[in-house]
Amino acid sequence: MDKTSKVPLYFQLMEELIKKIENQIYNEHEQLPSERELCTIYDLSRITVRQALQDLEREGYIYKLKGKGTFVAPKSYDQHLSTLYSFTDEMAKLGKTPSSKVLKFRIITVDERLAQKMEIEALEDVYEVVRLRYADDEPLMYETSYLPCKIFPNLTAEQMIEKPMYDIFQKDYQIGLTKATERFTATLIRDDEAVHLNVKAGQPAMLIKRFSYFNNQLIEYTSSIARGDKFAYTVELT
Amino acid sequence: MDKTSKVPLYFQLMEELIKKIENQIYNEHEQLPSERELCTIYDLSRITVRQALQDLEREGYIYKLKGKGTFVAPKSYDQHLSTLYSFTDEMAKLGKTPSSKVLKFRIITVDERLAQKMEIEALEDVYEVVRLRYADDEPLMYETSYLPCKIFPNLTAEQMIEKPMYDIFQKDYQIGLTKATERFTATLIRDDEAVHLNVKAGQPAMLIKRFSYFNNQLIEYTSSIARGDKFAYTVELT
């Protein structure tokens, strides 16, 4: 640490720790020295160390476990938002093995509110499909999809288990996505989702609502809970 | 409630409560009947009522206060992501009065990491500006901006207090944004931010990192904490 520099000390400490994480001197999920130890190692005040750790946590480099300490966070996935994408394809591109578990598959009748969202008639039937999405056996997203029955007649849970949803659309129904709208809000992981996602309830998550279209026909409405520690979304504005 | 319908009961209850919120039978921040009371009023099981309330909370219609009950949430702002936008302009468009409070204004020297992000040389000087952004006196965003000193010579805190940042860029430096990149992640509001944003720490927030360019020159790097209960971001994929 250079105490005469105009580079704030907590920036210097952040840089030092990030280098150690990037050079894998500290590995994923490895515990970092405690606040107190970092004060001693780098001869810094508690307030400086705390600021650096807070900012590293915010930046997604580390995570804290209450009463246990500070650990190196896993790397997150950066999703660029411009063209249509699917979880399956994106994970495959990154060399990960995508898979899904179907937690629920049933037909329900939509109420007015959901019908309006889906641009269908109230009291129409839709499939409600809840899936857990994995990359290399790590659960990352908890998704609830609604698909109009009249667009996908005779759809079964077995099809959903066998192949990716968009493959079913394409191969079994000759329906491809032509556009989609996604709406992002920040939320907290609930108890019932935490169990499946293998994280603590109350952790941050991205709530993504996707409305997919085939020409001007809505074919899918999906609400996804994406783990906040694993996903970032980037967009370009012009 | 129609118990013979194939519309799930918790959907029916959600629709019922949303109608009451939208028709202002329940007003913003007004307390809803308790879980127990809703069970009695609508003759529903506790599990159904709980599911409906959980989903209404997730959808941003209501919020819970520990030990106090359930309340009607304020409406959120929907930001469309495609063209460049500014907080000031967006709020003005909605008929709100935007304003900012400058919490911090200083010159610091950037470390290697921040320099890399900002595409400038390490050890260059930048302004660090922390601002709280309001709409109609309600604090909504906590923003930290870094601006290269050599692009904005002699910038002062007074300028920042007097007018919107992009107005300063444009009017005092003849620099307009030509493009920007934004990166979204879900995070939690920290203690130090909660005080300013007038919300509880641990609530969800959107962390937005904006990199703004004038032609191909980076002119601004801003990290914003946007209240999760107040902002949604929508993007179109083609």
Side-chain angles (χ1 to χ4, degrees):
Chain A
M1 303 297 117
D2 176 2
K3 294 198 180 178
T4 63
S5 165
K6 274 205 300 170
V7 177
L9 282 167
Y10 77 93
F11 271 24
Q12 294 185 43
L13 178 57
M14 282 176 74
E15 189 163 353
E16 175 74 15
L17 294 174
I18 289 172
K19 270 187 194 154
K20 289 195 168 172
I21 291 169
E22 285 177 348
N23 297 328
Q24 298 181 324
I25 293 167
Y26 297 135
N27 289 298
E28 262 185 31
H29 302 296
E30 187 177 329
Q31 187 163 8
L32 290 185
S34 69
E35 261 184 41
R36 192 183 298 266
E37 287 165 338
L38 289 170
C39 292
T40 313
I41 298 170
Y42 296 106
D43 187 23
L44 292 170
S45 72
R46 195 81 178 223
I47 205 164
T48 300
V49 168
R50 194 164 292 162
Q51 172 89 59
L53 292 179
Q54 269 194 345
D55 281 17
L56 286 172
E57 187 178 14
R58 178 53 66 64
E59 301 277 323
Y61 285 103
I62 61 170
Y63 63 95
K64 288 177 187 162
L65 289 180
K66 237 182 177 165
K68 289 194 178 161
T70 306
F71 301 83
V72 178
K75 285 227 166 57
S76 66
Y77 301 108
D78 222 316
Q79 180 61 53
H80 193 80
L81 301 172
S82 68
T83 53
L84 288 160
Y85 66 94
S86 78
F87 178 83
T88 306
D89 292 346
E90 294 301 314
M91 289 302 141
K93 267 189 231 164
L94 294 168
K96 305 274 169 188
T97 305
S99 64
S100 297
K101 191 157 126 190
V102 177
L103 300 178
K104 193 178 189 181
F105 182 96
R106 61 170 183 170
I107 292 175
I108 60 167
T109 300
V110 296
D111 59 340
E112 232 173 84
R113 187 183 54 87
L114 188 56
Q116 231 170 32
K117 273 194 187 184
M118 295 185 66
E119 303 165 18
I120 59 178
E121 298 292 317
L123 304 183
E124 240 192 75
D125 282 354
V126 299
Y127 303 100
E128 181 187 51
V129 190
V130 180
R131 291 180 304 159
L132 194 56
R133 320 293 306 266
Y134 298 82
D136 284 354
D137 298 322
E138 188 178 27
L140 298 179
M141 294 183 115
Y142 182 94
E143 298 197 339
T144 306
S145 297
Y146 297 98
L147 313 172
C149 291
K150 69 173 182 196
I151 296 186
F152 303 103
N154 308 314
L155 185 70
T156 62
E158 288 63 41
Q159 277 167 293
M160 281 285 174
I161 292 163
E162 274 164 20
K163 53 187 167 189
M165 193 167 79
Y166 293 149
D167 280 9
I168 299 173
F169 288 9
Q170 191 64 257
K171 289 176 186 154
D172 300 348
Y173 296 92
Q174 287 73 52
I175 287 176
L177 268 60
T178 49
K179 68 166 184 173
T181 299
E182 289 192 328
R183 184 175 188 269
F184 293 82
T185 44
T187 191
L188 303 181
I189 291 176
R190 305 195 309 211
D191 291 324
D192 54 321
E193 296 154 350
V195 177
H196 292 295
L197 289 170
N198 202 16
V199 292
K200 286 229 160 67
Q203 288 298 298
M206 197 69 94
L207 168 62
I208 308 161
K209 295 190 174 181
R210 173 181 277 213
F211 298 86
S212 303
Y213 297 84
F214 171 55
N215 300 324
N216 285 317
Q217 170 81 60
L218 187 133
I219 55 172
E220 172 207 7
Y221 163 52
T222 292
S223 175
S224 304
I225 298 298
R227 280 172 51 183
D229 60 336
K230 296 300 278 184
F231 290 97
Y233 297 87
T234 302
V235 68
E236 259 184 51
L237 308 170
T238 49
Chain B
M1 303 295 116
D2 176 0
K3 293 196 178 177
T4 64
S5 163
K6 275 206 301 173
V7 177
L9 282 167
Y10 75 93
F11 271 25
Q12 294 185 43
L13 178 56
M14 281 176 75
E15 189 164 352
E16 176 74 16
L17 293 174
I18 288 171
K19 270 187 195 155
K20 290 197 168 171
I21 291 170
E22 285 176 348
N23 296 330
Q24 299 181 323
I25 293 168
Y26 297 135
N27 290 298
E28 263 187 32
H29 303 296
E30 187 176 328
Q31 186 163 10
L32 290 184
S34 69
E35 260 183 42
R36 192 183 299 264
E37 287 166 338
L38 289 169
C39 291
T40 313
I41 297 170
Y42 296 105
D43 187 24
L44 293 170
S45 73
R46 194 82 178 224
I47 204 163
T48 300
V49 169
R50 195 165 289 162
Q51 172 90 58
L53 292 179
Q54 270 193 344
D55 282 17
L56 286 173
E57 187 179 15
R58 177 53 65 66
E59 301 276 323
Y61 287 102
I62 61 169
Y63 63 95
K64 288 178 188 161
L65 289 181
K66 238 183 179 165
K68 290 196 179 160
T70 305
F71 302 83
V72 178
K75 286 229 165 55
S76 65
Y77 302 107
D78 222 316
Q79 179 61 52
H80 195 80
L81 301 172
S82 69
T83 52
L84 288 160
Y85 67 93
S86 79
F87 178 83
T88 306
D89 293 346
E90 294 302 315
M91 289 302 141
K93 265 189 232 165
L94 294 168
K96 304 275 172 189
T97 305
S99 63
S100 296
K101 190 158 127 188
V102 177
L103 300 178
K104 193 178 189 182
F105 182 95
R106 62 170 182 169
I107 292 176
I108 59 166
T109 300
V110 295
D111 60 339
E112 231 173 86
R113 186 184 54 87
L114 189 56
Q116 232 171 30
K117 272 196 187 182
M118 296 186 65
E119 303 165 18
I120 57 177
E121 299 291 318
L123 305 182
E124 240 190 76
D125 283 353
V126 298
Y127 303 98
E128 182 186 50
V129 190
V130 180
R131 290 180 304 159
L132 194 56
R133 318 293 305 268
Y134 297 82
D136 285 353
D137 299 322
E138 188 178 26
L140 298 178
M141 297 184 112
Y142 182 94
E143 300 198 336
T144 307
S145 298
Y146 297 97
L147 313 172
C149 292
K150 70 174 181 196
I151 295 185
F152 303 104
N154 309 315
L155 185 69
T156 63
E158 287 64 41
Q159 277 168 291
M160 282 285 172
I161 292 164
E162 274 165 21
K163 54 186 167 189
M165 192 167 79
Y166 293 149
D167 280 8
I168 300 174
F169 288 8
Q170 191 64 259
K171 290 177 186 153
D172 300 348
Y173 296 93
Q174 286 75 51
I175 287 175
L177 266 63
T178 50
K179 68 165 184 172
T181 300
E182 290 194 325
R183 183 176 188 268
F184 293 82
T185 44
T187 190
L188 303 181
I189 291 175
R190 306 194 308 211
D191 292 324
D192 53 322
E193 296 153 352
V195 178
H196 293 296
L197 290 169
N198 202 15
V199 292
K200 284 230 160 65
Q203 288 299 298
M206 197 70 94
L207 168 63
I208 309 161
K209 294 188 176 183
R210 173 182 278 214
F211 297 87
S212 304
Y213 297 84
F214 172 56
N215 299 326
N216 285 317
Q217 170 81 60
L218 187 133
I219 55 171
E220 173 206 5
Y221 163 52
T222 292
S223 176
S224 304
I225 299 298
R227 282 172 51 183
D229 60 336
K230 296 301 278 186
F231 290 98
Y233 297 87
T234 302
V235 68
E236 257 184 53
L237 308 170
T238 47

